[in-house]
Amino acid sequence: MPNPLKAPAVRKIGVGQAIILLSLFAMLLFAVVWASMAWTSAEDVQMSIHGWIALILGVTFSLLIGCGLMALMFYSSRSGHDEAATPDVRRQSDTLEKDD
């Protein structure tokens, strides 16, 4: 029986994974710097109350739709509806595994 108090072994990353992580971090840093420069460059532009209302409503509804669709995706995956939607593909993969 494994000891639950023992820490799991730490796996080292390879050179390829390190390059991918560094490039992703560089892209994130570039996006943050660009966004902050774009945000601060428009300091003298005034947005009306209608613009603020449109911005708040757009962000709110986008988040609601995104969260709702993600919740439906997880519910569908957990409840087994995904398997029932593709019975032919499921049967073909089962017969291929049995033949091997």
Side-chain angles (χ1 to χ4, degrees), residues 22-96:
L22 286 174
S23 64
L24 288 173
F25 182 73
M27 285 189 271
L28 175 65
L29 185 65
F30 174 75
V32 168
V33 169
W34 178 81
S36 67
M37 287 174 55
W39 187 268
T40 57
S41 70
E43 287 181 6
D44 58 340
V45 176
Q46 295 294 322
M47 189 162 45
S48 69
I49 189 69
H50 300 291
W52 283 108
I53 291 171
L55 178 67
I56 291 169
L57 287 174
V59 169
T60 303
F61 287 127
S62 295
L63 285 173
L64 284 174
I65 289 171
C67 292
L69 289 173
M70 287 297 291
L72 285 174
M73 184 183 71
F74 284 117
Y75 174 74
S76 173
S77 176
R78 299 266 179 179
S79 64
H81 288 29
D82 294 338
E83 285 82 15
T86 56
D88 295 334
V89 174
R90 183 78 174 162
R91 280 191 220 123
Q92 289 175 357
S93 65
D94 289 343
T95 56
L96 290 175

Side-chain angles (χ1 to χ4, degrees), residues 10-22:
V10 177
R11 204 177 91 188
K12 294 182 181 180
I13 63 170
V15 176
Q17 290 173 332
I19 291 171
I20 290 173
L21 285 174
L22 286 174

